[in-house]
């Protein structure tokens, strides 16, 4: 589990402001499930989704997301991972491949987290941010995700990554405003298995 707890350049939970917030959110709590819920709700509700709120700058590192108060789903997952790792809760990254218009191609990736909780194991959580059509909650052991897989070609990618995918890092470092990011959301091909 150590790879899901370590600080990195992007998941920079040892940054003073990130670590301070992590400890504030966990104050008075000992149960990892309660701490996870508090951190999840804070990121979901206090960090604004860049596209929903038409906000810049484009953020990547957890500390940048915290400072700017905004981020795409990917960046919000980076901050949530940092807050949880700072509280010794193993956290990784998951992705869904979704249709951009719910009608097939083109597809793009959506980023969320997987958290390892006592007596539950890995649980996916989606702190993307709620709006009229999205209402995610922290309700273990049930998952509450922003999007359902509905269209051929969409998929819940099964991997739990310790680090954000390189294609996500490239996106968030390659563009400097929310509209450009939106136009260039990355996709990855699905590997098909033949029976």
């Amino acid at each position: 589990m150590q790879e899901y707890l370590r600080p990195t350049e992007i998941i920079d939970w040892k940054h003073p402001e990130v670590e301070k917030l992590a400890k504030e959110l966990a104050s008075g709590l000992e149960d990892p499930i309660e701490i996870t819920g508090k951190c999840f709700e804070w990121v979901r509700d206090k960090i604004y989704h860049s596209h929903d709120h038409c906000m810049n700058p484009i953020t990547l590192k957890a500390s940048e997301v915290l400072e700017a108060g905004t981020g795409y789903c990917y960046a919000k997952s980076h901050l949530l991972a940092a807050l949880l790792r700072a509280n010794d809760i193993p956290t990784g990254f998951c992705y869904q491949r979704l249709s951009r218009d719910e009608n097939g191609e083109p597809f793009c990736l959506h980023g969320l987290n997987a958290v390892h909780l006592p007596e539950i194991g890995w649980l996916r959580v989606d702190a993307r941010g709620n709006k009229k059509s999205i209402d995610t909650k922290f309700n273990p052991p049930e998952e509450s995700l922003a999007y359902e897989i509905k269209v051929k070609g969409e998929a819940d990618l099964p991997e739990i990554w310790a680090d954000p995918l390189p294609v996500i890092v490239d996106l968030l470092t390659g563009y400097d405003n929310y509209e450009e990011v939106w136009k260039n959301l990355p996709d990855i091909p699905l590997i098909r298995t033949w029976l």
Side-chain angles (χ1 to χ4, degrees):
M1 285 294 172
Q2 287 308 305
E3 65 179 334
Y4 296 100
L5 289 167
R6 62 184 164 71
T8 68
E9 186 177 342
I10 295 171
I11 315 307
D12 56 345
W13 66 257
K14 290 199 174 183
H15 185 283
E17 293 303 313
V18 175
E19 200 163 15
K20 177 182 172 197
L21 176 60
K23 298 310 171 198
E24 285 173 4
L25 291 171
S27 179
L29 303 175
E30 291 184 19
D31 182 354
I33 293 176
E34 289 182 21
I35 295 168
T36 300
K38 196 94 181 266
C39 293
F40 166 83
E41 288 174 359
W42 195 95
V43 173
R44 181 194 65 191
D45 299 340
K46 302 291 186 188
I47 302 296
Y48 296 111
H49 188 282
S50 300
H51 186 260
D52 288 357
H53 296 273
C54 304
M55 290 180 74
N56 290 315
I58 300 307
T59 53
L60 171 67
K61 294 180 181 181
S63 58
E64 294 171 348
V65 179
L66 179 57
E67 181 180 350
T70 188
Y72 266 89
C73 58
Y74 320 112
K76 292 183 71 165
S77 75
H78 302 166
L79 176 57
L80 181 55
L83 294 173
L84 294 174
R85 289 182 184 187
N87 281 303
D88 205 34
I89 298 169
T91 307
F93 303 95
C94 295
Y95 299 93
Q96 292 177 310
R97 184 181 196 241
L98 301 171
S99 171
R100 287 193 62 134
D101 62 6
E102 298 183 11
N103 198 24
E105 293 184 8
F107 295 95
C108 65
L109 293 179
H110 168 59
L112 54 150
N113 296 98
V115 183
H116 196 273
L117 298 171
E119 299 175 19
I120 293 173
W122 286 107
L123 177 74
R124 290 184 305 168
V125 296
D126 193 340
R128 177 222 179 274
N130 290 338
K131 59 181 186 175
K132 193 182 233 181
S133 60
I134 294 173
D135 183 22
T136 63
K137 296 176 176 51
F138 182 70
N139 187 30
E142 301 297 319
E143 288 186 341
S144 175
L145 305 183
Y147 303 103
E148 292 178 33
I149 303 305
K150 297 179 181 175
V151 176
K152 184 177 180 183
E154 292 187 331
D156 282 318
L157 305 180
E159 298 85 1
I160 300 172
W161 302 89
D163 298 297
L165 291 178
V167 69
I168 300 301
V169 177
D170 291 347
L171 172 75
L172 297 178
T173 55
Y175 300 99
D176 61 8
N177 74 68
Y178 74 90
E179 291 172 314
E180 287 180 348
V181 171
W182 184 252
K183 290 177 192 167
N184 292 283
L185 294 176
D187 182 21
I188 57 173
L190 295 180
I191 297 171
R192 302 199 190 287
T193 56
W194 303 96
L195 300 178

